Amino acid sequence: MYFAALLARTEDGWEASDTELDDVETLSDLADLAREASPDEDTVLVLIEQEDSWFGVVRVDGEDDPRIYVSDAAAARRSAYGELLLTDELLGREPGTDDGPDLDALDLDGTEDGESEDDDEEEVGAADAVPHSPVGDSGILDDLGISEKELRSLDADDALGTIAEALGASEVLETVR
């Protein structure tokens, strides 16, 4: 199970709407969805939580690039919705590099040069590894009253409620939960 909501800051405070991510295929799609929630180019937060194992915050300010924070990259990696957020840049990888092995360099039968198939599998696993820790912009909510330290200390099971409470948006978030 996952929960996703948009919180759009307006002149009158925060407005919340739940959102389905089934049609969102890329981070760009997610940013466009967030921008649609605020025609005045105000701040929009996309809050995502997955089965109390991880949460993510995507912040979109007008036409600026989205800023992203994910509480546990390894847990998010196992989720289709987490995959949207875990960009190469966020994971500290060279953009456009492939996580898998170079197929031209592989010995496909695994028997030449003394290599076994197990060695190839280990290399793929190491290239695909992501940290069991937060990744992204932990200062994403600093100007909204949630410090980097506070954000990093949140548990996935109550993070979205705590964030909404700090923003003064807990009531509007509860209406869409």
Side-chain angles (χ1 to χ4, degrees):
M1 283 290 291
Y2 80 96
F3 171 75
L6 298 173
L7 282 179
R9 187 161 64 178
T10 67
E11 292 176 3
D12 301 327
W14 292 95
E15 292 181 8
S17 57
D18 63 342
T19 187
E20 288 292 324
L21 300 179
D22 294 339
D23 295 331
V24 176
E25 295 180 9
T26 65
L27 180 58
S28 181
D29 293 344
L30 186 61
D32 290 343
L33 182 69
R35 288 182 184 105
E36 289 172 11
S38 179
D40 295 332
E41 295 189 10
D42 288 324
T43 298
V44 178
L45 301 176
V46 181
L47 304 175
I48 303 171
E49 74 181 1
Q50 180 85 33
E51 298 174 347
D52 298 333
S53 64
W54 67 273
F55 70 93
V57 178
V58 178
R59 180 177 178 160
V60 178
D61 294 300
E63 292 300 318
D64 292 347
D65 287 340
R67 296 168 56 193
I68 306 164
Y69 174 81
V70 176
S71 66
D72 183 335
R77 178 69 169 214
R78 294 186 295 269
S79 161
Y81 304 112
E83 285 285 326
L84 286 173
L85 308 181
L86 296 174
T87 64
D88 287 337
E89 182 180 328
L90 194 70
L91 295 173
R93 296 180 181 157
E94 186 70 30
T97 59
D98 187 10
D99 289 341
D102 178 4
L103 294 179
D104 293 333
L106 277 181
D107 172 20
L108 296 179
D109 67 6
T111 58
E112 293 179 22
D113 299 325
E115 291 182 14
S116 70
E117 291 179 21
D118 292 339
D119 292 339
D120 288 341
E121 289 174 14
E122 288 173 16
E123 289 175 23
V124 171
D128 204 29
V130 294
H132 283 279
S133 62
V135 294
D137 184 354
S138 54
I140 193 170
L141 302 173
D142 276 348
D143 65 324
L144 299 175
I146 301 170
S147 72
E148 187 173 329
K149 183 178 178 182
E150 290 169 314
L151 186 62
R152 287 180 162 274
S153 71
L154 294 176
D155 289 327
D157 60 343
D158 64 350
L160 299 190
T162 303
I163 291 169
E165 186 175 319
L167 298 174
S170 56
E171 287 182 25
V172 294
L173 183 64
E174 284 304 313
T175 62
V176 298
R177 201 176 260 276

